[in-house]
């Protein structure tokens, strides 16, 4: 997608997304056969409900029908929230992932899997799981040391409600 089209779409869609108290994470236009696919990824601190995606999709569709932002050809509109394993790129992503296990690729070349205990303006406070029966250790990592980060999916993790019970 050209920068001009991307900027124009972002300008059109940002107010609609903000009106639903959501963050516009990503806009992507790709080809699927003869059609194009416009993928709009939105999120919030509390997640995104399916009904909210449906309402936003209708609103975006109406707005795009009133403009020529997508040109004359057919396209498919997809509005969704990011997947559970989406990259952590914004400060708010890390805040939302507090308590979760994350895989960090560090600038120095190493990789670290640790639980995010706290987030501030400079970086993360982590708990690195112990190996072979050893106790977990604490570690501090600055944001500028992280080249990539993703939440690790945990199938056996107790949720907050279970931990509080």
């Amino acid at each position: 997608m050209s920068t001009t089209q991307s900027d124009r779409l972002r300008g059109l869609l940002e107010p609609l997304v903000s009106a639903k108290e959501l963050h516009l994470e990503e806009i992507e236009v790709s080809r699927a056969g003869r059609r194009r696919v416009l993928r709009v990824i939105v999120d919030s601190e509390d997640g995104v409900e399916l009904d909210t995606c449906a309402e936003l999709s209708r609103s975006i569709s109406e707005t795009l029908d009133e403009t020529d932002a997508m040109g004359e050809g057919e396209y498919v509109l997809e509005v969704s929230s990011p997947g559970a394993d989406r990259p952590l790129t914004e400060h708010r992503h890390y805040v939302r992932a507090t308590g979760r296990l994350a895989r960090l690729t560090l600038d120095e070349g190493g990789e670290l899997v640790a639980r995010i205990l706290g987030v501030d303006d400079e970086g993360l406070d982590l708990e690195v799981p112990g190996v072979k029966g050893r106790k977990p250790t604490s570690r501090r990592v600055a944001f500028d040391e992280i080249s990539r980060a993703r939440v690790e999916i945990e199938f056996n993790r107790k949720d907050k409600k279970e931990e509080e019970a």
Side-chain angles (χ1 to χ4, degrees):
M1 167 170 61
S2 71
T3 306
T4 308
Q5 183 184 27
S6 176
D7 291 343
R8 185 160 183 220
L9 285 170
R10 187 166 285 281
L12 280 171
L13 304 184
E14 191 86 53
L16 301 174
V17 172
S18 295
K20 298 282 184 193
E21 298 181 3
L22 300 171
H23 301 285
L24 181 56
E25 294 287 331
E26 187 178 340
I27 299 173
E28 175 187 314
V29 178
S30 60
R31 285 246 169 238
R34 288 181 279 133
R35 293 185 183 177
R36 291 170 295 150
V37 176
L38 171 58
R39 205 166 277 117
V40 179
I41 309 296
V42 296
D43 201 7
S44 78
E45 279 72 25
D46 302 319
V48 182
E49 304 231 346
L50 186 58
D51 290 342
T52 304
C53 282
E55 291 169 14
L56 184 58
S57 180
R58 285 189 289 276
S59 178
I60 289 172
S61 182
E62 289 171 9
T63 299
L64 292 175
D65 288 348
E66 295 169 0
T67 69
D68 64 346
M70 287 300 292
E72 294 297 316
E74 294 180 13
Y75 67 92
V76 175
L77 173 62
E78 295 178 4
V79 177
S80 67
S81 61
D85 64 342
R86 67 122 176 257
L88 303 175
T89 57
E90 303 281 336
H91 185 271
R92 63 187 154 79
H93 297 165
Y94 290 98
V95 170
R96 187 163 173 210
T98 300
R100 306 282 308 269
L101 202 60
R103 180 174 301 274
L104 309 173
T105 303
L106 305 176
D107 285 338
E108 63 193 33
E111 195 168 75
L112 175 64
V113 176
R115 190 163 309 280
I116 300 173
L117 298 179
V119 181
D120 60 30
D121 291 340
E122 285 81 40
L124 309 172
D125 292 318
L126 304 170
E127 179 184 72
V128 181
V131 180
K132 296 183 181 178
R134 292 188 178 146
K135 291 185 178 185
T137 57
S138 297
R139 180 162 176 190
R140 174 82 179 165
V141 176
F143 287 122
D144 62 2
E145 296 176 60
I146 302 169
S147 60
R148 281 193 328 244
R150 285 189 186 278
V151 168
E152 287 284 287
I153 307 297
E154 295 179 85
F155 293 105
N156 59 352
R157 177 178 177 248
K158 291 181 181 177
D159 67 10
K160 291 178 185 176
K161 291 177 186 171
E162 285 181 46
E163 291 173 2
E164 292 170 358

